[in-house]
Amino acid sequence: MKAPVRVAVTGAAGQISYSLIFRIASGSMLGPDQPVILQLLEIPPAMNALQGVLMELKDCAFPLVAGVIPSDDPNVAFKDADFALLVGSRPRGPGMERSDLLKANGAIFTVQGKALSDHANPDCRVLVVGNPANTNALILLKSAPKLNPRHITSMTRLDHNRSMAQIADKVGCHSSDVEQVVVWGNHSSTQYPDISYATAAGKPVRTAVADDWYKNDFIPTVQKRGAAIIKARGASSAASAANAAVEHMRDWALGSKGQWVSMGVYSKGNPYGIDEDLMFSFPITCEHGEWQIVGGLDRDAFSMDMIKKTEQELQAEREAIADMFK
Ligand SMILES: NC(=O)c1ccc[n+]([C@@H]2O[C@H](COP(=O)([O-])OP(=O)(O)OC[C@H]3O[C@@H](n4cnc5c(N)ncnc54)[C@H](O)[C@@H]3O)[C@@H](O)[C@H]2O)c1
Ligand SMILES: O=C(O)C[C@H](O)C(=O)O
């Protein structure tokens, strides 16, 4: 057995965490031979509910759980953390855009960025899930000077998985046969799910589907899937979001085995000329605990236009938080 690693999860009594914590504890994220110490952060009013989660966690008797530390203090929950999954923040309701949450949630990420910087393992790998995820991650990056900016990421894996599933339905294959999907930009309704390079069972997708389906059905369906789930469930996606978080961290830590994934990463030094001070989703491969942007992809005029729109939205979100860093 390996030595345990410390995994911090915030919003630990919330909807997403109710799936996420149990998946991490079962070994789905870091592998069946990796014990974990779970460090679970909540706000004081939710500590009772968190006690219930702890009771259920105990009742699972997971062999890989080497310890559980619940806390309402980020300095405790992030102490020596090797991985941090930042879920805790308000979800949007019907009719809202994710960026409407910036005021409510942004402040959380200055406080938690500082606490991570001061107390976590300096190599800590961070995933921001709470919305608006890209810009919350940018706030965190700017608040956490002791962390490696390459180790702060935001989640677009759910959009990536949604894209694979939509393509599989359309062309009639299994979603696991779909490869080389890319989600560019923001986890928002401007995101650009790009099938230019995608294959399904080894065959190019772009030529197998009509232009009209791609532009007027597929792209808006993926862009608005979160809102469609809120409308249907009366609450935002939780199990699929937890699954995406598990897969994001698993592939980052253990490698994507040559597969392209989508991750929001700090854009400094990116090969596509995107503004270099954004958290932007790119095509990524992961190996040995580090990510690399897949370079050298040709983008046609339509793609360039879609990428520009999502970049401009992220620039506007950055402008909206500029006061926090004066
Ligand atoms: N990036 C993505 O793909 C994606 C997907 C789904 C949901 N989300 C976002 O994830 C977030 C959480 O969603 P949910 O459904 O679990 O919400 P939820 O309301 O069920 O749970 C959020 C939890 O966070 C806790 N919390 C609030 N402030 C906190 C703080 N400062 N520190 C620690 N915990 C805190 C709350 O007490 C609550 O228990 C939302 O912002 C949602 O929009 C992102
Ligand atoms: O859409 C939301 O607000 C929740 C989440 O970001 C999602 O994509 O399902």
Side-chain angles (χ1 to χ4, degrees):
M1 268 296 192
K2 296 176 180 169
V5 294
R6 292 176 183 272
V7 182
V9 179
T10 74
Q15 291 260 346
I16 293 176
S17 291
Y18 194 64
S19 296
L20 177 62
I21 291 168
F22 297 86
R23 298 278 305 275
I24 298 170
S26 71
S28 300
M29 187 171 95
L30 296 173
D33 58 347
Q34 179 58 69
V36 290
I37 298 170
L38 295 165
Q39 309 195 155
L40 306 178
L41 182 68
E42 257 299 347
I43 50 175
M47 289 307 279
N48 261 342
L50 183 58
Q51 279 308 318
V53 175
L54 298 186
M55 288 159 73
E56 286 205 66
L57 198 51
K58 188 182 282 276
D59 294 349
C60 292
F62 284 120
L64 290 173
V65 175
V68 182
I69 301 170
S71 180
D72 58 9
D73 179 351
N75 298 335
V76 173
F78 293 147
K79 180 105 184 68
D80 299 327
D82 301 294
F83 298 89
L85 293 93
L86 303 200
V87 179
S89 53
R90 231 183 86 189
R92 65 176 166 157
M96 289 172 79
E97 283 298 325
R98 296 180 186 94
S99 55
D100 296 335
L101 295 168
L102 207 46
K103 280 215 160 57
N105 290 340
I108 294 174
F109 293 86
T110 51
V111 174
Q112 295 190 356
K114 183 171 183 324
L116 275 166
S117 187
D118 290 345
H119 299 285
N121 174 346
D123 259 345
C124 184
R125 263 99 173 142
V126 182
L127 168 62
V128 175
V129 174
N131 279 317
N134 298 56
T135 299
N136 285 340
L138 187 68
I139 295 172
L140 187 130
L141 184 143
K142 291 179 186 294
S143 309
K146 292 183 208 148
L147 295 189
N148 181 346
R150 286 185 54 88
H151 290 170
I152 297 169
T153 63
S154 66
M155 192 163 95
T156 49
R157 183 61 176 261
L158 181 52
D159 311 294
H160 184 100
N161 290 348
R162 287 168 172 164
S163 301
M164 288 168 66
Q166 291 296 321
I167 292 168
D169 269 2
K170 181 69 184 172
V171 305
C173 70
H174 195 270
S175 52
S176 56
D177 292 328
V178 178
E179 295 181 275
Q180 298 190 175
V181 165
V182 183
V183 175
W184 301 92
N186 202 2
H187 173 62
S188 76
S189 52
T190 69
Q191 68 179 271
Y192 174 37
D194 181 2
I195 64 168
S196 308
Y197 329 95
T199 59
K203 298 200 187 78
V205 172
R206 190 68 185 84
T207 46
V209 299
D211 205 48
D212 182 53
W213 177 80
Y214 176 41
K215 292 180 179 162
N216 300 319
D217 191 337
F218 171 78
I219 292 176
T221 297
V222 176
Q223 287 175 328
K224 294 184 198 144
R225 187 70 164 179
I229 287 166
I230 291 170
K231 193 158 169 246
R233 252 173 54 85
S236 70
S237 64
S240 57
N243 179 63
V246 164
E247 293 188 349
H248 175 117
M249 286 307 227
R250 179 200 64 199
D251 289 349
W252 188 6
L254 305 179
S256 66
K257 319 218 172 346
Q259 294 293 316
W260 297 9
V261 295
S262 299
M263 289 168 65
V265 298
Y266 194 45
S267 55
K268 196 171 167 44
N270 76 85
Y272 291 107
I274 302 296
D275 183 325
E276 298 219 339
D277 185 31
L278 297 174
M279 294 298 304
F280 200 91
S281 179
F282 289 101
I284 297 276
T285 55
C286 302
E287 209 179 5
H288 308 306
E290 300 295 346
W291 54 263
Q292 292 298 332
I293 296 175
V294 177
L297 300 179
D298 288 334
R299 292 162 303 154
D300 63 12
F302 176 77
S303 290
M304 292 297 279
D305 185 49
M306 294 296 286
I307 291 169
K308 182 50 79 188
K309 282 194 189 118
T310 195
E311 180 185 23
Q312 283 170 344
E313 183 184 46
L314 282 168
Q315 287 168 325
E317 287 185 19
R318 182 182 60 198
E319 196 50 41
I321 59 154
D323 275 354
M324 286 179 160
F325 299 100
K326 276 194 180 133

